[in-house]
């Protein structure tokens, strides 16, 4: 069981590491796209600040816009570095040649971001190596209880023996006839040490109870972890809809209004940058 469990854990860890490395590469690509889009917005703000400056506006507004552009350039440098690290990590995990660098798809095809909780729990109970190991140990302890209980009863022993004596020229005794011996034995063991046998049963029961508690604790921990992850997935989906349906559209409208107010000298540049 130990060798099998070790192979399963190792395979699962490698699979998980490859998935995480790929998702990190995909995420970094999209973060770069977001920064590049923000870069275009800031370039528009620089043009607006330049036009305002030419008509008597403040030069500090133009400098603030340029600083924002430089900050985005700095962020872009870090993201490009993270992308190369993610590509290198993924290439190492999949054993890709050094001259080939993996890339991520533009969109992930996900059937559903929120999995079915009951299905996840059933799959985890069936395939989790820790639970399987604890179940195997629990079966072992039940067998120990059964064997310890058998020590309360007498044991019967039946035996057959065969002894090679020798031949007529090479015998072990002057009076030996050189014929091999065949013998039978019958024995009976009585369980006289009752306290010792009972303590053995109690020890086996205690070990079984201990493994039962460990299995239940691991089972509850696993279910709790799955529930937390499903709740996090649900919250992420709700947050995604909130951004896509409300926050981003409202912010875009606010940007257009603030840009018009700034051009009409009704708003400060700090409001526009924000």
């Amino acid at each position: 069981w130990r060798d099998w469990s070790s192979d399963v854990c190792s395979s699962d860890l490698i699979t998980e590491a490859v998935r995480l490395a790929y998702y990190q590469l995909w995420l970094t690509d999209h973060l770069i796209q977001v920064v590049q889009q923000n870069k275009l917005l800031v370039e528009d703000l620089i043009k607006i600040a330049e036009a305002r400056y030419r008509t008597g506006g403040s030069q500090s507004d133009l400098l603030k816009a340029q600083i924002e552009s430089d900050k985005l350039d700095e962020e872009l440098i870090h993201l490009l570095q993270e992308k190369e690290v993610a590509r290198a990590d993924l290439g190492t995990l999949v054993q890709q040649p050094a001259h080939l660098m993996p890339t991520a798809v533009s969109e992930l095809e996900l059937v559903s971001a929120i999995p079915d909780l009951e299905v996840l729990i059933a799959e985890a109970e069936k395939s989790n190596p820790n639970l399987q190991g604890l179940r195997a140990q629990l079966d072992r302890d039940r067998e120990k209880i059964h064997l310890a209980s058998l020590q309360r009863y007498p044991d019967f022993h039946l035996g057959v023996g065969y002894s090679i004596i020798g031949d007529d020229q090479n015998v072990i005794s002057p009076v030996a006839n050189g014929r091999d011996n065949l013998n039978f034995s019958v024995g009976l063991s009585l369980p006289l040490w009752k306290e010792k046998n009972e303590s053995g049963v109690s020890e086996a029961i205690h070990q079984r109870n201990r493994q039962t508690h460990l299995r239940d604790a691991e089972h509850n921990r696993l279910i709790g972890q799955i529930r937390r992850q499903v709740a996090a997935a649900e919250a992420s989906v709700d947050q995604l809809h909130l951004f896509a349906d409300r926050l981003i559209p409202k912010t875009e409208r606010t940007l257009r209004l603030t840009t018009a107010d700034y051009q009409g000298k009704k708003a400060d540049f700090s409001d526009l940058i924000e």
Side-chain angles (χ1 to χ4, degrees):
W1 168 83
R2 289 180 179 177
D3 293 339
W4 174 83
S5 175
S6 176
D7 292 341
V8 170
C9 291
S10 177
S11 175
D12 289 344
L13 288 175
I14 292 175
T15 302
E16 181 181 6
V18 171
R19 287 177 176 173
L20 290 176
Y22 182 82
Y23 292 149
Q24 183 61 43
L25 176 59
W26 180 87
L27 175 62
T28 306
D29 273 341
H30 278 259
L31 290 176
I32 290 174
Q33 294 176 14
V34 171
V35 173
Q36 290 173 340
Q37 291 172 0
N38 288 338
K39 180 78 173 173
L40 295 176
L41 290 176
V42 173
E43 289 177 356
D44 290 338
L45 297 184
I46 292 176
K47 294 177 182 178
I48 295 173
E50 289 176 342
R52 175 86 176 264
Y53 175 65
R54 287 194 297 267
T55 60
S58 173
Q59 186 179 10
S60 64
D61 293 350
L62 178 58
L63 294 176
K64 288 178 182 178
Q66 292 172 345
I67 290 174
E68 292 295 327
S69 178
D70 293 339
K71 289 180 180 178
L72 290 176
D73 286 336
E74 181 183 13
E75 186 175 357
L76 192 58
I77 291 174
H78 290 303
L79 287 174
L80 290 173
Q81 181 183 6
E82 290 181 9
K83 178 179 179 179
E84 293 306 313
V85 171
R87 295 176 69 186
D89 291 342
L90 182 57
T92 300
L93 289 170
V94 299
Q95 299 181 354
Q96 198 168 32
H99 64 280
L100 296 177
M101 294 297 286
T103 57
V105 296
S106 58
E107 295 294 337
L108 291 178
E109 295 181 1
L110 299 178
V111 177
S112 174
I114 304 179
D116 185 86
L117 179 61
E118 298 301 327
V119 173
L120 279 181
I121 292 177
E123 289 295 327
E125 290 175 344
K126 181 176 65 175
S127 60
N128 183 267
N130 292 333
L131 276 181
Q132 290 183 347
L134 291 171
R135 290 194 193 102
Q137 294 178 14
L138 192 57
D139 292 339
R140 176 204 61 189
D141 294 333
R142 290 195 184 101
E143 188 64 25
K144 284 185 177 180
I145 294 175
H146 177 67
L147 294 176
S149 301
L150 292 179
Q151 299 301 319
R152 300 169 176 170
Y153 306 101
D155 290 334
F156 294 93
H157 305 282
L158 297 176
V160 178
Y162 184 80
S163 301
I164 299 177
I165 302 300
D167 50 28
D168 293 338
Q169 288 77 28
N170 249 336
V171 295
I172 62 175
S173 170
V175 296
N177 58 12
R179 296 177 182 175
D180 296 340
N181 289 338
L182 179 64
N183 58 78
F184 300 91
S185 62
V186 179
L188 176 65
S189 297
L190 298 177
L192 300 178
W193 307 102
K194 184 177 180 180
E195 294 182 356
K196 180 180 179 181
N197 294 334
E198 292 298 330
S199 63
V201 174
S202 299
E203 180 182 0
I205 292 176
H206 174 75
Q207 185 66 21
R208 180 206 59 187
N209 293 338
R210 178 177 177 274
Q211 291 299 330
T212 300
H213 291 318
L214 291 175
R215 182 204 59 188
D216 293 342
E218 176 64 18
H219 181 266
N220 293 333
R221 185 199 66 80
L222 190 63
I223 291 179
Q225 181 181 3
I226 291 174
R227 285 176 175 171
R228 287 192 297 270
Q229 291 175 342
V230 170
E234 292 175 347
S236 297
V237 171
D238 292 339
Q239 188 178 31
L240 178 63
H241 291 318
L242 176 63
F243 271 89
D245 300 336
R246 295 166 57 186
L247 291 179
I248 292 179
K250 289 180 180 179
T251 306
E252 290 175 342
R253 289 197 298 269
T254 302
L255 176 61
R256 291 193 295 269
L257 291 174
T258 309
T259 300
D261 289 343
Y262 177 76
Q263 290 173 327
K265 300 182 180 182
K266 297 179 181 179
D268 295 330
F269 190 76
S270 57
D271 298 329
L272 185 57
I273 287 293
E274 185 181 356

